[in-house]
């Protein structure tokens, strides 16, 4: 008989480092206050080793003998999701979907199951949080489902592993990984040990049986997936669902993708019947933009291969406090302070004693340096109370010397602005060399922030 011994260990939530005592800083990843206490039961004696779910024993292979073929992908029927995944679901992949509570993770995956089940894909939806009746109530709001989708409420990984090997589905949904537990680990569900062991079992199932598995992960108050950071390293793809749950928009962002780009985003709108795709995010973000208001400028950023036009709003006013207040919503706060220092040094604008509020309308979060020129123009426009003419779009990176530097994919940005009816585009002068095609939009090159300030004074 195997003897069991219970002992207390401490695990780092960031990297999974194991320690017999609590430490303020993790020696592996250097994270502070990341250790949590867990009780672990160790088995002593001759307990048989658990067989891997990967099937037959694998053998080492020579690199030249490996046949290289393109990954077989399955289109989900949701264009925005396929874009973020890199062109569809790769068979045998393990995907982690994270997001705030109520943001729409389960709804999106259930809609994906509906599309795939009508294509004839065999799907198993495993829920550890909702009952079968609750899932059906949510499914009825989305639409009709064929019999190719099966629901299963279970939290034991041993039972789930046996069911998957028996049913042999093509796609499995785990909702959520924090509710799953393995009998060999004595820690509570959702702990570092349980999450790590559960993900390891699902990883072996995905790679060994060629099943695509989606796991839903809760997030912490900092916005990262709860549990050890090693969880994100184990999976093939990490998707984050962003947005305010009180607003109608949702943004699906790919943080890690072994089979595609990590910069793509998908935009959705939350409706009563579920999530609807937003085919043209630029038009959606600019909806309701004020006309003739100072401090409002349209800029263009790139999310992967997709250009998105965003309205930048700035409000600069004299402060009534000893220390001026600065606030940035949707962009980097430190970057805004840097750009304000550049304007005060290079243009002589007395904005050091002013309150400044920067907002990216629509709630989208962008940190690309190409928004620098738009932020600069919005600050100057608000400080001088001089509106930027309608039909103007601007993009470019601003350096510490006040120079306007080149950005990538300028042609795609100009094309997107032209498609939406903008008449003037202010961009870095060095980017004009690659724009030789005749266009209906007028292109104005800028070398420095001084050129931009003169353009705001002169009629465009």
């Amino acid at each position: 008989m195997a003897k069991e011994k219970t002992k207390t260990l401490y695990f780092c939530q960031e990297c999974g480092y194991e320690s017999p005592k609590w430490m303020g800083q993790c020696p592996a990843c250097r994270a502070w206050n990341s250790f949590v206490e867990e009780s672990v039961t160790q088995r002593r004696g001759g307990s048989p080793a658990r067989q891997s779910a990967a099937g037959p024993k694998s053998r080492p292979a020579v690199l030249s003998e490996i046949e290289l073929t393109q990954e077989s992908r399955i289109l989900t029927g949701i264009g925005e999701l396929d874009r973020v995944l890199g062109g569809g679901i790769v068979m045998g992949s393990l995907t982690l979907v994270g997001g705030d509570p109520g943001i729409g993770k389960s709804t999106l995956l259930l809609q994906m199951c509906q599309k795939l089940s009508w294509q004839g894909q065999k799907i198993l939806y495993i829920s550890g949080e909702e009952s079968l009746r609750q899932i059906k109530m949510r499914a009825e709001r989305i639409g009709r489902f064929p019999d190719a989708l099966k629901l299963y409420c279970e939290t034991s990984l041993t039972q789930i592993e046996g069911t998957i090997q028996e049913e042999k589905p093509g796609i499995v949904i785990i909702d959520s990984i924090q509710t799953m537990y393995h009998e060999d680990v004595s820690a509570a569900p959702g702990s570092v040990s349980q999450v790590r062991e559960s993900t390891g079992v699902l990883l072996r199932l995905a790679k060994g049986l060629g099943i695509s598995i989606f796991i839903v992960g809760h997030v912490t108050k900092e916005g990262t997936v709860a549990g050890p950071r090693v969880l994100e390293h184990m999976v093939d793809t990490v998707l984050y669902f962003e947005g305010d749950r009180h607003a109608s928009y949702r943004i699906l962002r790919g943080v890690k993708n072994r089979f595609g780009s990590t910069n793509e985003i998908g935009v959705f709108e939350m409706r009563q019947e579920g999530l609807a795709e937003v085919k043209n995010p630029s038009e959606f973000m600019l909806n309701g933009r004020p006309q003739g208001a100072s401090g409002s400028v349209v800029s263009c950023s790139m999310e992967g291969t997709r250009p998105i036009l965003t309205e930048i709003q700035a409000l600069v006013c004299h402060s009534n406090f000893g220390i001026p207040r600065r606030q940035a919503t949707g962009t980097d706060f430190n970057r805004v302070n840097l750009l304000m220092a550049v304007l005060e040094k290079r243009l002589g604008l007395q904005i050091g004693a002013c309150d400044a509020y920067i907002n990216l309308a629509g709630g989208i979060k962008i940190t690309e340096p190409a928004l620098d020129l738009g932020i600069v123009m919005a600050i100057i426009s608000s400080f001088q109370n001089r509106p930027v003419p309608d039909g103007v779009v601007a993009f470019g990176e601003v350096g510490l010397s006040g120079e306007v530097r080149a950005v990538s994919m300028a042609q795609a940005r100009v094309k997107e602005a032209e498609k939406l009816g903008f008449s003037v585009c202010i961009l870095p002068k060095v980017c004009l060399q690659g724009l030789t095609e005749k266009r209906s939009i007028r292109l104005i090159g800028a070398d420095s922030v001084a050129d931009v300030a003169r353009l705001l004074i002169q009629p465009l």
Side-chain angles (χ1 to χ4, degrees), residues 89-132:
I89 304 173
V90 177
M91 298 305 298
S93 62
L94 184 61
T95 303
L96 173 64
V97 182
D100 294 331
I103 201 69
K105 305 182 296 296
S106 301
T107 301
L108 176 64
L109 293 177
L110 199 57
Q111 286 184 234
M112 182 191 72
C113 293
Q114 181 195 31
K115 300 284 186 182
L116 292 172
S117 57
W118 282 112
Q119 298 177 15
Q121 295 291 336
K122 194 174 180 181
I123 305 173
L124 180 61
Y125 191 102
I126 302 173
S127 176
E129 300 179 345
E130 296 178 292
S131 64
L132 297 177

Side-chain angles (χ1 to χ4, degrees), residues 216-276:
V216 177
H218 297 162
V219 297
T220 62
K221 60 182 180 180
E222 289 83 13
T224 59
V225 176
R229 183 55 60 92
V230 71
L231 174 63
E232 298 185 11
H233 296 291
M234 294 173 66
V235 300
D236 297 314
T237 307
V238 179
L239 307 179
Y240 275 105
F241 224 14
E242 302 174 355
D244 187 358
R245 60 178 179 175
H246 301 293
S248 61
Y249 66 90
R250 301 288 189 272
I251 296 176
L252 184 66
R253 188 182 302 274
V255 179
K256 172 187 175 182
N257 193 350
R258 290 174 178 163
F259 310 109
S261 173
T262 58
N263 297 321
E264 297 289 352
I265 68 168
V267 184
F268 298 87
E269 182 181 3
M270 178 61 78
R271 299 177 181 175
Q272 185 176 1
E273 63 275 8
L275 291 165

Side-chain angles (χ1 to χ4, degrees), residues 6 10 22 75 86 102 141 170 194 198 213 218 256 292 296 322 384 415:
T6 302
Y10 294 87
W22 186 89
L75 295 178
R141 295 197 302 265
Q194 286 287 3
S198 300
I213 300 180
H218 297 162
K256 172 187 175 182
S296 175
Q384 299 179 345
K415 187 176 180 181

Side-chain angles (χ1 to χ4, degrees), residues 290-348:
Q291 301 294 326
S294 63
S296 175
V297 179
V298 176
S299 186
C300 185
S301 66
M302 294 296 300
E303 293 290 345
T305 58
R306 166 185 283 179
I308 297 181
L309 297 182
T310 308
E311 179 192 0
I312 301 175
Q313 297 177 338
L315 179 61
V316 181
C317 56
H318 290 284
S319 177
N320 294 324
F321 304 96
I323 300 177
R325 186 175 181 182
R326 308 286 170 80
Q327 181 175 334
T329 304
T331 187
D332 187 10
F333 172 77
N334 295 323
R335 190 72 181 176
V336 172
N337 286 332
L338 183 147
L339 294 175
M340 293 185 66
V342 169
L343 291 179
E344 188 166 7
K345 178 70 174 180
R346 305 303 175 187
L347 296 182

Side-chain angles (χ1 to χ4, degrees), residues 18-37:
E18 181 180 322
S19 173
K21 62 180 181 179
W22 186 89
M23 290 186 290
Q25 186 184 32
C26 177
C29 65
R30 301 297 178 183
W32 289 94
N33 298 325
S34 60
F35 276 89
V36 292
E37 179 183 0

